[in-house]
Amino acid sequence: MWFAEGNQSAGATFTLLGFSEYPDLQVPLFLVFLTVYAVTVVGNLGMIAIIRISPKLHTPMYFFLSHLSFVDFCYSTTVTPKLLENLVVEDRTISFTGCIMQFFSACMFAVAEAFMLAVMADDQFVAVCKRPLYTVVMTPKLCASLVASPYTWGVVSSLTLTCSLLALSFCGSSIINNFLCEHSVIVSVSCSDPFISQVLCFAIAIFNEVGSLAIILTTYISIFATIRKMPSAGGRQKAFSTCASHLTAITMFHGTILFLYCVPRSKNSWLMVKVGSVFYTVVSPMLNPQIYSLRNKDVKESVRKLMNTKYFYFNHFTYIFLLNSTRILWHYGYPHFMVIHSFIRGISLEC
């Protein structure tokens, strides 16, 4: 029966209000979020590239970190482009299919990130508490299995909740007071009883949050107990430094989610909900690569080496990108880009 109801809802449309109640801030917010998204893309894809290119970073810890960067990139890309679009266009509608697809993708990557952080906590546990056996325990096969688990459970959780939403019916055009399609705002505009879907969402959300945090807390209790027993101050400091970046990422992600769970959904709290949602869907994916790179000597050293090797063609790629972009814009009716195109080409000839 829910397939029939889902088919009836296929023609429904939603209007994402986003931050439309602040018309004077639309352009500044667009520029801020565009900058954040650009840094997110460069930071996460750059982290993946550095880990793959640098042999020194071919360890389980950086293998997991590359997948966290991939999840962050996908998570931000699911949400931010539509947010940017709605800040510059008058028509803020999204189709029923588009809304459901955004929810499915965002939910999948959010769950995957929660358990990817838990997997990284397990890796930290083995690295600190079972250091002599680290290479024996963290085999490539085990690492692949540990990485596959968050993705698999993310798909299962997201697919379950998406099917529960498809069982609901939606009538005509509805207004969503947020910048993304999340479960609570979708069921709030449903024309049918969303009780089963809400209970299912509550159960899955509690399981994911409690389960991932339980793994993290258990492992870090053991880690801190082991660190306290270390005889040398240098060893304790190195162990704390290794865990600091991961703990910062965990605090940002889970702290924001717990904050959103605790905020009562009243009329006056929607701004806080939007700001919190921006932080864990847009800002957090940008900050994770910065946290891991700024506090990590191996990553910084690998970046310095890459910048001095034959593999680093950033300047060449940048030149080609700028040259072709200005030429295309000039061709499609933007004559002022001809001056920029000629200037860039002149610099390259002089060099």
Side-chain angles (χ1 to χ4, degrees):
M1 180 176 177
W2 63 268
F3 280 111
E5 290 181 350
N7 290 335
Q8 291 173 11
S9 301
T13 58
F14 304 116
T15 300
L16 296 171
L17 290 183
F19 297 95
S20 58
E21 63 265 41
Y22 306 103
D24 295 337
L25 295 178
Q26 299 298 292
V27 173
L29 286 174
F30 174 82
L31 295 174
V32 169
F33 291 139
L34 180 63
T35 303
V36 169
Y37 183 60
V39 174
T40 301
V41 172
V42 173
N44 285 290
L45 295 185
M47 181 68 77
I48 294 170
I50 290 166
I51 291 171
R52 288 187 63 86
I53 292 171
S54 178
K56 189 177 182 180
L57 303 181
H58 291 175
T59 63
M61 183 180 82
Y62 295 107
F63 174 69
F64 297 134
L65 179 56
S66 68
H67 280 275
L68 179 67
S69 294
F70 174 73
V71 170
D72 279 333
F73 166 73
C74 294
Y75 193 19
S76 181
T77 301
T78 299
V79 175
T80 312
K82 188 62 180 177
L83 169 61
L84 291 171
E85 178 190 339
N86 288 343
L87 286 170
V88 294
V89 299
E90 292 294 330
D91 183 12
R92 297 183 175 89
T93 58
I94 183 172
S95 66
F96 174 78
T97 303
C99 192
I100 291 296
M101 288 301 296
Q102 187 189 58
F103 167 76
F104 173 81
S105 301
C107 179
M108 176 179 66
F109 290 119
V111 174
E113 175 151 1
F115 283 96
M116 195 69 72
L117 290 170
V119 166
M120 293 174 74
D122 289 335
D123 175 67
Q124 297 283 355
F125 167 77
V126 179
V128 174
C129 302
K130 310 287 183 182
R131 191 167 187 81
L133 301 174
Y134 184 71
T135 55
V136 177
V137 175
M138 301 302 292
T139 61
K141 185 176 181 180
L142 178 61
C143 291
S145 299
L146 288 173
V147 158
S149 300
Y151 290 119
T152 303
W153 180 242
V155 171
V156 171
S157 298
S158 183
L159 192 60
T160 303
L161 292 176
T162 301
C163 288
S164 74
L165 289 176
L166 291 174
L168 304 176
S169 59
F170 299 88
C171 312
S173 179
S174 302
I175 295 176
I176 292 178
N177 190 14
N178 211 328
F179 62 89
L180 78 161
C181 294
E182 54 136 354
H183 188 274
S184 62
V185 293
I186 295 176
V187 298
S188 68
V189 297
S190 170
C191 299
S192 54
D193 185 8
F195 177 75
I196 295 176
S197 183
Q198 288 174 322
V199 170
L200 195 60
C201 179
F202 179 78
I204 291 176
I206 291 296
F207 174 82
N208 289 338
E209 189 66 13
V210 173
S212 59
L213 281 177
I215 295 170
I216 292 167
L217 289 174
T218 303
T219 53
Y220 270 101
I221 288 171
S222 300
I223 288 171
F224 290 143
T226 302
I227 291 174
R228 286 189 62 187
K229 296 177 183 177
M230 290 181 177
S232 65
R236 289 195 296 269
Q237 184 177 359
K238 185 177 180 180
F240 273 121
S241 178
T242 303
C243 300
S245 299
H246 186 233
L247 283 172
T248 306
I250 289 170
T251 303
M252 283 196 314
F253 183 78
H254 286 284
T256 309
I257 290 177
L258 291 173
F259 167 77
L260 289 175
Y261 279 147
C262 294
V263 173
R265 295 301 176 96
S266 64
K267 190 174 182 180
N268 297 325
S269 69
W270 275 110
L271 179 59
M272 294 176 66
V273 171
K274 290 178 187 179
V275 172
S277 299
V278 163
F279 193 83
Y280 84 87
T281 59
V282 180
V283 178
S284 184
M286 176 196 69
L287 292 178
N288 280 343
Q290 321 304 323
I291 292 168
Y292 281 98
S293 60
L294 291 176
R295 297 186 60 90
N296 193 301
K297 292 180 180 179
D298 291 336
V299 173
K300 289 191 285 188
E301 184 181 339
S302 297
V303 171
R304 281 195 295 268
K305 286 183 178 180
L306 286 172
M307 292 178 69
N308 295 322
T309 62
K310 60 183 179 180
Y311 299 108
F312 192 77
Y313 290 111
F314 176 76
N315 290 334
H316 177 69
F317 288 148
T318 303
Y319 162 71
I320 295 297
F321 173 75
L322 291 174
L323 197 67
N324 289 331
S325 298
T326 51
R327 181 173 59 82
I328 291 169
L329 290 167
W330 171 23
H331 176 74
Y332 281 100
Y334 297 90
H336 52 282
F337 279 98
M338 178 184 69
V339 179
I340 302 174
H341 178 83
S342 302
F343 176 73
I344 294 170
R345 189 165 184 173
I347 291 176
S348 67
L349 292 174
E350 289 178 6
C351 296

